[in-house]
PDB file of all heavy atoms in Angstrom:
ATOM      1  N   ASN P  67     124.138  94.883 105.116  1.00  0.00           N
ATOM      2  CA  ASN P  67     123.361  95.441 106.270  1.00  0.00           C
ATOM      3  C   ASN P  67     123.709  94.688 107.623  1.00  0.00           C
ATOM      4  O   ASN P  67     123.586  95.077 108.668  1.00  0.00           O
ATOM      5  CB  ASN P  67     121.785  95.323 106.061  1.00  0.00           C
ATOM      6  CG  ASN P  67     121.061  96.379 106.680  1.00  0.00           C
ATOM      7  OD1 ASN P  67     121.621  97.445 106.891  1.00  0.00           O
ATOM      8  ND2 ASN P  67     119.960  96.198 107.011  1.00  0.00           N
ATOM      9  N   TRP P 165     111.680 100.228 106.254  1.00  0.00           N
ATOM     10  CA  TRP P 165     110.520  99.693 106.891  1.00  0.00           C
ATOM     11  C   TRP P 165     109.558 100.796 107.246  1.00  0.00           C
ATOM     12  O   TRP P 165     109.892 101.702 107.965  1.00  0.00           O
ATOM     13  CB  TRP P 165     110.815  98.869 108.169  1.00  0.00           C
ATOM     14  CG  TRP P 165     109.659  98.220 108.847  1.00  0.00           C
ATOM     15  CD1 TRP P 165     109.092  97.013 108.487  1.00  0.00           C
ATOM     16  CD2 TRP P 165     108.911  98.766 109.909  1.00  0.00           C
ATOM     17  NE1 TRP P 165     108.052  96.782 109.251  1.00  0.00           N
ATOM     18  CE2 TRP P 165     107.930  97.827 110.177  1.00  0.00           C
ATOM     19  CE3 TRP P 165     108.934  99.926 110.693  1.00  0.00           C
ATOM     20  CZ2 TRP P 165     106.953  98.006 111.191  1.00  0.00           C
ATOM     21  CZ3 TRP P 165     108.061 100.156 111.631  1.00  0.00           C
ATOM     22  CH2 TRP P 165     107.099  99.140 111.965  1.00  0.00           C
ATOM     23  N   HIS P 281     104.260  74.523 117.155  1.00  0.00           N
ATOM     24  CA  HIS P 281     105.440  74.841 117.845  1.00  0.00           C
ATOM     25  C   HIS P 281     106.651  74.156 117.184  1.00  0.00           C
ATOM     26  O   HIS P 281     106.841  73.027 117.497  1.00  0.00           O
ATOM     27  CB  HIS P 281     105.367  74.546 119.375  1.00  0.00           C
ATOM     28  CG  HIS P 281     106.533  74.909 120.117  1.00  0.00           C
ATOM     29  ND1 HIS P 281     106.523  74.910 121.568  1.00  0.00           N
ATOM     30  CD2 HIS P 281     107.743  75.392 119.732  1.00  0.00           C
ATOM     31  CE1 HIS P 281     107.816  75.357 121.870  1.00  0.00           C
ATOM     32  NE2 HIS P 281     108.496  75.666 120.823  1.00  0.00           N
ATOM     33  N   GLU P 412      99.769 106.869 140.147  1.00  0.00           N
ATOM     34  CA  GLU P 412      99.728 108.279 139.710  1.00  0.00           C
ATOM     35  C   GLU P 412      99.852 109.159 140.961  1.00  0.00           C
ATOM     36  O   GLU P 412     100.563 110.140 140.923  1.00  0.00           O
ATOM     37  CB  GLU P 412      98.490 108.563 138.996  1.00  0.00           C
ATOM     38  CG  GLU P 412      98.407 109.993 138.349  1.00  0.00           C
ATOM     39  CD  GLU P 412      99.288 110.171 137.181  1.00  0.00           C
ATOM     40  OE1 GLU P 412      99.843 109.180 136.686  1.00  0.00           O
ATOM     41  OE2 GLU P 412      99.528 111.284 136.837  1.00  0.00           O
ATOM     42  N   THR P 441     117.831 117.246 125.593  1.00  0.00           N
ATOM     43  CA  THR P 441     117.549 118.002 124.459  1.00  0.00           C
ATOM     44  C   THR P 441     118.352 117.679 123.190  1.00  0.00           C
ATOM     45  O   THR P 441     118.049 118.233 122.084  1.00  0.00           O
ATOM     46  CB  THR P 441     117.783 119.576 124.791  1.00  0.00           C
ATOM     47  OG1 THR P 441     119.161 119.723 124.997  1.00  0.00           O
ATOM     48  CG2 THR P 441     116.949 119.994 125.905  1.00  0.00           C
TER      49      THR P 441
END
Side-chain angles (χ1 to χ4, degrees):
N67 214 27
W165 184 85
H281 184 169
E412 184 73 13
T441 63

